[in-house]
Amino acid sequence: MESALPAAGFLYWVGAGTVAYLALRISYSLFMAFRVWGLGHGPGVGPELGEWAVVTGGTDGIGKSYAEELAKCGMKVVLISRSQDKLNEVSREIREKFKVETKTIAADFASEDIYDKIKTSLEGLKIGVLVNNVGISYEYPEYFLEIPDLDNTIKKMLNVNILSVCKMTHLVLPGMVERSKGVILNISSASGMNPFPLLTIYSATKGFVDFFSQCIHEEYKSKGIFVQSVLPFFVATKMSKIRKPSLTVPTSEAYVKSAMKTVGLKTRTNGYPIHSLMGTIVCMLPSSLYLKLSMYRGKSIRARYLKKAKKN
Ligand SMILES: CCCCC/C=C\C/C=C\C/C=C\C/C=C\CCCC(=O)CC(=O)SCCNC(=O)CCNC(=O)[C@H](O)C(C)(C)COP(=O)(O)OP(=O)(O)OC[C@H]1O[C@@H](n2cnc3c(N)ncnc32)[C@H](O)[C@@H]1OP(=O)(O)O
Ligand SMILES: NC(=O)C1=CN([C@@H]2O[C@H](COP(=O)(O)OP(=O)(O)OC[C@H]3O[C@@H](n4cnc5c(N)ncnc54)[C@H](OP(=O)(O)O)[C@@H]3O)[C@@H](O)[C@H]2O)C=CC1
């Protein structure tokens, strides 16, 4: 009886400590959400950082929306993607709508020999913002060994999702450091925060982007550079193949408008209020439960995709 009392006291303090810790974490998250999305603040970017913004994969989805938001802030925009036709069309739209200068570079980030051409095209530009947005994912969630053309998929996904982030940062960061200002926005994914089975290679590349961003921010923040890791859940784009936006699946325009409010305030963000709530919940789940739920989710999307493919 006597020896049970100190154990009960110990458990009481462990319980009280845990509750206090969780209460503090939730209060801090709510306070930050209110500060970022409730109070609002001016754009954390603009031509004062350097007149040009560079957006990789800037002709569709999330990248196109970043290009438009940056142009709206008065920045000149360089768009980089594969198709010159799409580049011409989107750059014309941006020039006409926002009255800013644009430049295009046609390059395929699946290749490794494009960076000399990009370097030459960017020479002499004062780049204030780099958005490392380009990324590719699976056609649909799939078991590792069943991925069509696996060797080629591995190489392509690593080149587009990882190599592009390192190489573009290498090209742009020296100028920013020299001018002691600049913002780099790296588009990771919620699947880079927590592993997402059946999107294994993709999820792991996005984990790389998240770690890379956090480390570079810590290395260069004293030089006036702000690096942000952006971690969206699903957004309605060609990549997710979700056609109809919903409460939890915003359009890319709504997503980016919201994510831009966090620039300068948060080095890691899910970018959208409901996504932040989902991120907070997911991070509090025991990892075994999270993995079960995400595997279940992946399997259900896979089944729907395969059923639809069989019908067509
Ligand atoms: C609030 C608490 C949260 C707790 C969470 C707990 C556990 C965690 C569990 C899961 C983790 C959650 C999210 C994952 C994390 C990160 C994801 C990041 C994604 C990312 O980085 C980008 C990608 O890599 S996307 C993956 C690659 N692309 C694909 O796999 C495409 C596959 N999809 C398709 O082919 C099609 O969409 C389809 C065949 C599945 C359906 O197409 P169809 O034309 O038939 O249907 P639609 O009209 O488009 O939509 C109907 C309906 O379904 C919803 N929906 C469609 N697709 C998806 C999808 N991929 N994911 C989720 N939901 C999808 C769509 O929104 C519609 O819903 P509605 O009927 O309107 O409610
Ligand atoms: N949509 C979502 O649900 C989520 C997306 N993300 C991330 O957001 C980023 C953007 O995704 P999203 O907007 O959905 O993608 P989209 O597929 O809608 O757009 C992709 C853009 O990248 C370009 N692109 C694709 N492949 C290459 C390549 N090999 N070389 C050069 N450019 C290329 C495309 O242009 P073109 O085809 O002309 O080359 C297009 O401009 C990605 O990094 C993705 O991982 C993260 C979480 C969720």
Side-chain angles (χ1 to χ4, degrees), residues 10-272:
F10 175 72
L11 284 179
Y12 170 82
W13 285 112
V14 169
T18 308
V19 169
Y21 171 74
L22 288 177
L24 268 176
R25 271 199 69 167
I26 292 168
S27 309
Y28 179 71
S29 298
L30 289 174
F31 167 73
M32 278 310 285
F34 176 69
R35 188 172 161 213
V36 172
W37 287 297
L39 295 179
H41 77 131
V45 294
E48 62 286 351
L49 290 170
E51 54 191 354
W52 287 91
V54 176
V55 186
T56 67
T59 49
D60 225 321
I62 295 173
K64 182 179 176 193
S65 297
Y66 267 107
E68 289 173 342
E69 280 298 316
L70 291 162
K72 199 186 276 176
C73 296
M75 299 196 77
K76 301 174 179 176
V77 182
V78 183
L79 302 169
I80 315 180
S81 68
R82 285 169 303 185
S83 148
Q84 190 61 55
D85 285 349
K86 261 167 85 179
L87 284 164
N88 291 344
E89 189 187 320
V90 174
S91 66
R92 184 185 49 75
E93 274 172 34
I94 290 179
R95 267 198 317 275
E96 285 175 4
K97 190 161 174 200
F98 302 103
K99 313 286 176 232
V100 295
E101 231 179 278
T102 59
K103 230 175 160 352
T104 65
I105 305 172
D108 184 348
F109 285 102
S111 307
E112 291 164 28
D113 58 4
I114 53 170
Y115 294 97
D116 284 343
K117 171 181 167 179
I118 297 179
K119 185 177 180 183
T120 309
S121 308
L122 295 181
E123 225 133 53
L125 303 186
K126 283 198 175 71
I127 300 168
V129 179
L130 166 64
V131 188
N132 280 313
N133 163 79
V134 73
I136 51 169
S137 185
Y138 292 28
E139 267 302 297
Y140 65 95
E142 185 51 286
Y143 291 88
F144 184 70
L145 292 178
E146 309 302 321
I147 295 168
D149 198 7
L150 180 57
D151 273 338
N152 195 30
T153 302
I154 293 172
K155 190 159 188 269
K156 242 175 103 173
M157 211 168 283
L158 265 59
N159 279 352
V160 178
N161 294 6
I162 293 182
L163 189 70
S164 73
V165 176
C166 301
K167 296 287 261 184
M168 288 304 299
T169 303
H170 186 193
L171 288 184
V172 170
L173 186 58
M176 289 180 168
V177 170
E178 206 178 294
R179 287 178 285 109
S180 304
K181 53 191 172 189
V183 164
I184 301 181
L185 308 176
N186 292 330
I187 315 305
S188 173
S189 159
S191 70
M193 246 167 102
N194 293 97
F196 198 89
L198 301 181
L199 294 180
T200 298
I201 311 169
Y202 174 77
S203 173
T205 64
K206 291 301 180 176
F208 177 98
V209 175
D210 184 36
F211 271 35
F212 181 83
S213 311
Q214 293 182 64
C215 291
I216 293 278
H217 179 77
E218 213 50 39
E219 287 179 27
Y220 288 94
K221 66 180 182 192
S222 63
K223 312 255 183 236
I225 312 299
F226 178 84
V227 184
Q228 185 180 59
S229 175
V230 185
L231 306 135
F233 283 79
F234 287 108
V235 176
T237 67
K238 286 185 182 145
M239 176 186 279
S240 66
K241 300 195 180 83
I242 303 176
R243 291 171 300 178
K244 210 174 76 197
S246 60
L247 184 68
T248 55
V249 183
T251 60
S252 63
E253 290 87 353
Y255 180 82
V256 171
K257 212 180 264 298
S258 161
M260 287 282 284
K261 293 186 183 158
T262 69
V263 176
L265 291 178
K266 300 202 77 182
T267 53
R268 276 180 100 220
T269 180
N270 295 113
Y272 190 70

